[in-house]
Amino acid sequence: MRGRAEIVFELQDPEIVLSALEPELDDDLHRGKVEIRARDNGMELIVEGEDVVSLRAALNTWLRLVRICVEMVEI
């Protein structure tokens, strides 16, 4: 069973966060697919997993990465 999650973050400077996260998209170790896009009011994170376990693992990783980037921008 495949899983998919779409999360929208409201950010003041989405381009800064996107540029920090883009290198992580090249990681081929995951069993899924990740997309990040700028939006008018922030950023959209789309995560797909081959199964629920891989979706949960990818979400944990990417939510943590986004949180760290946002915290660094705010400093």
Side-chain angles (χ1 to χ4, degrees):
M1 177 201 306
R2 292 191 59 84
R4 178 181 171 102
E6 297 180 22
I7 302 169
V8 176
F9 299 92
E10 291 183 14
L11 304 171
Q12 292 182 2
D13 297 314
E15 295 299 329
I16 294 172
V17 176
L18 282 171
S19 65
L21 292 174
E22 282 178 343
E24 300 299 326
L25 293 171
D26 294 334
D27 188 1
D28 292 333
L29 298 175
H30 304 292
R31 295 184 299 165
K33 179 179 161 188
V34 177
E35 295 178 46
I36 52 176
R37 300 181 198 143
R39 295 175 55 121
D40 293 336
N41 61 343
M43 182 184 80
E44 181 176 22
L45 172 68
I46 302 166
V47 180
E48 294 181 4
E50 294 178 7
D51 51 45
V52 176
V53 173
S54 63
L55 176 63
R56 180 193 56 79
L59 279 171
N60 284 339
T61 298
W62 281 92
L63 290 173
R64 189 172 297 121
L65 287 172
V66 170
R67 187 186 81 213
I68 291 167
C69 287
V70 169
E71 287 175 357
M72 293 297 105
V73 168
E74 290 176 352
I75 289 180

